[in-house]
Amino acid sequence: MAPEGGVLRQTTLTGETIQATQSPDESNSTTHVVNTDDSARLRKGRGKTRGKGLEKIKKVMGSKMKIEILIGKGRPIKPIQLSKLSNELGIIARNFLLLPNKWKELAKEDKDSALIRCQERLDINLDEHYVKDSCEDILKNRTRQWRYKLKQKFESARSMEEARKMEVEQMTSKNWNKLCDIWNDPEHKKRCEINKVNLTKLKSNHFMGSKAFVAARAEIGEKEHEGVEPDRIEFYKHTHYTSEKGWSSEEAETNYLRN
């Protein structure tokens, strides 16, 4: 590089090299411009949900938001209810649970305590087993998402020593170090590589993003079918085909025509 600048390189725990440029007037600064797509995941984006929207709704309504989950649906079919329930359980997963590596490692008492905390913020009937099961499943998913984000943080470190020194505001050092040990285990890394390979074998993906199918199906029924939800074949087309992009894959089109 030209004399007036310098190149900084950092190798992470995953073996990736992050390259940054530094100009002379930045020589005493710790802020670098990173020229790699690998670092995009470390960029600061939208902040964590803090439940302020729910507080505003409660203030306007004068009561807690009612969450309705119908038998067999597994999720609220109204998008606003699903969004607020998922957000609230995400807050609980980040701030009030001892994050396990596997969901089954979490004690029943901890799960029940988390759901009771959620009930304090939302009008939801946990006495119905299908409602409680649905909430527990959402909490499980939000816990997995939080663990994934923490693993990204872990993988940005240059060494295990640096990883252990990282501060995670919502976690105890004991919990964080336990996760570091798991993520650094050769067997865990081997399973992750196998999972990555298996994911590439997925032949048919959908266009729905993170939206729950049960909510999307109800929404389509309201907008296009006078409240009647589309059947499975029609819904499959809604989730795998758009007029702008066409089919998500040849496999998706073949599956649809086959039925």
Side-chain angles (χ1 to χ4, degrees):
M1 189 174 180
E4 66 269 13
V7 178
L8 302 175
R9 290 183 175 84
Q10 172 181 320
T11 303
T12 67
L13 281 168
T14 58
E16 299 168 334
T17 299
I18 295 176
Q19 178 174 301
T21 60
Q22 184 183 46
S23 59
D25 59 347
E26 291 176 323
S27 58
N28 294 320
S29 172
T30 57
T31 302
H32 309 298
V33 180
V34 181
N35 300 323
T36 173
D37 292 337
D38 293 333
S39 64
R41 57 193 172 88
L42 301 178
R43 256 180 241 147
K44 184 177 181 181
R46 185 182 183 276
K48 297 183 180 68
T49 301
R50 292 180 290 176
K52 289 188 175 181
L54 187 60
E55 287 296 329
K56 291 179 181 178
I57 292 175
K58 182 179 178 181
K59 187 174 181 179
V60 172
M61 296 175 60
S63 61
K64 294 187 288 187
M65 174 183 279
K66 186 173 182 61
I67 303 296
E68 297 176 301
I69 300 178
L70 305 178
I71 296 177
K73 293 296 184 181
R75 298 286 189 276
I77 61 174
K78 295 182 179 179
I80 184 65
Q81 291 187 14
L82 177 57
S83 173
K84 295 306 176 185
L85 176 60
S86 180
N87 286 345
E88 195 60 33
L89 289 170
I91 292 171
I92 292 171
R94 291 194 306 270
N95 296 288
F96 301 104
L97 281 182
L98 183 67
L99 189 64
N101 182 50
K102 295 181 180 179
W103 179 249
K104 63 182 180 180
E105 295 175 1
L106 195 63
K108 181 180 182 301
E109 293 77 11
D110 291 332
K111 296 175 185 177
D112 290 343
S113 178
L115 296 185
I116 290 173
R117 184 178 289 275
C118 180
Q119 192 177 42
E120 291 173 352
R121 300 263 293 166
L122 295 164
D123 182 5
I124 185 167
N125 184 12
L126 294 177
D127 292 332
E128 297 287 358
H129 69 88
Y130 58 89
V131 173
K132 185 177 180 180
D133 290 346
S134 298
C135 290
E136 195 170 297
D137 187 58
I138 295 173
L139 181 63
K140 175 183 177 181
N141 290 336
R142 295 311 302 264
T143 300
R144 183 176 65 246
Q145 291 167 8
W146 176 227
R147 187 169 56 246
Y148 170 73
K149 290 181 179 179
L150 289 176
K151 189 177 181 183
Q152 286 183 309
K153 182 180 180 74
F154 166 80
E155 290 179 342
S156 71
R158 290 170 294 183
S159 65
M160 268 296 286
E161 183 181 4
E162 182 178 307
R164 290 184 185 279
K165 291 180 179 179
M166 286 179 166
E167 292 186 6
V168 183
E169 184 179 350
Q170 298 91 339
M171 300 185 71
T172 63
S173 58
K174 181 179 180 181
N175 195 183
W176 172 248
N177 284 327
K178 181 180 178 181
L179 290 174
C180 287
D181 289 336
I182 292 171
W183 293 329
N184 195 50
D185 182 74
E187 284 300 316
H188 175 85
K189 293 179 179 180
K190 183 179 178 180
R191 287 195 301 271
C192 288
E193 290 303 315
I194 292 173
N195 290 338
K196 286 180 182 179
V197 173
N198 290 338
L199 191 60
T200 63
K201 297 178 182 179
L202 183 64
K203 297 179 180 180
S204 176
N205 210 342
H206 59 78
F207 290 133
M208 298 306 292
S210 60
K211 181 181 287 188
F213 276 16
V214 64
R217 197 170 181 178
E219 187 177 0
I220 292 169
E222 289 290 333
K223 290 181 178 180
E224 303 179 19
H225 303 282
E226 299 181 349
V228 179
E229 294 184 1
D231 60 31
R232 291 188 176 185
I233 296 176
E234 186 179 357
F235 182 62
Y236 183 88
K237 184 176 181 179
H238 272 284
T239 58
H240 292 76
Y241 175 86
T242 67
S243 56
E244 296 82 12
K245 298 180 180 180
W247 288 97
S248 62
S249 67
E250 292 183 5
E251 185 76 14
E253 183 177 14
T254 300
N255 290 340
Y256 177 76
L257 295 176
R258 186 183 297 144
N259 292 290

